[in-house]
Amino acid sequence: MSHPQSYELLLIPDHSRTRTGATGRAIRSAVVAATGETGASGYPRYTGQGMEADIDPETRTVEAVLVDGEELDPGMSVQVAQGDRRTP
């Protein structure tokens, strides 16, 4: 199965999310590229611009992430942008 070669990720404060689950304004974004490796989560690993993430290509869900080498602070989340820049 071919996985996308890149995604745009958004770092979003959870307090900016509405009760319906719509996302608020991202405080940071990064385009991450496939490394060819599989992360500890079992999903393809992507890195770039200070972010490292395991992403499920079927659901576009970020399964594991580091930002600048650190785990996310409580109250923060990372997700794939709706109109991401992924390439086949």
Side-chain angles (χ1 to χ4, degrees):
M1 177 176 171
S2 177
H3 301 294
Q5 292 302 299
S6 66
Y7 288 101
E8 181 179 14
L9 299 182
L10 303 175
L11 178 63
I12 301 169
D14 285 339
H15 69 270
S16 69
R17 299 172 72 112
T18 66
R19 291 182 188 202
T20 62
T23 59
R25 180 170 279 156
I27 60 171
R28 181 173 170 180
S29 68
V31 175
V32 293
T35 65
E37 299 175 359
T38 300
S41 67
Y43 293 103
R45 168 94 21 111
Y46 295 80
T47 63
Q49 299 179 310
M51 290 193 193
E52 182 174 341
D54 297 355
I55 301 173
D56 177 350
E58 295 279 326
T59 64
R60 299 170 24 116
T61 301
V62 177
E63 297 292 341
V65 66
L66 294 175
V67 177
D68 297 330
E70 302 286 331
E71 293 185 12
L72 286 180
D73 289 334
M76 301 297 289
S77 63
V78 172
Q79 64 186 50
V80 174
Q82 288 293 333
D84 72 21
R85 300 178 197 178
R86 66 184 182 157
T87 56

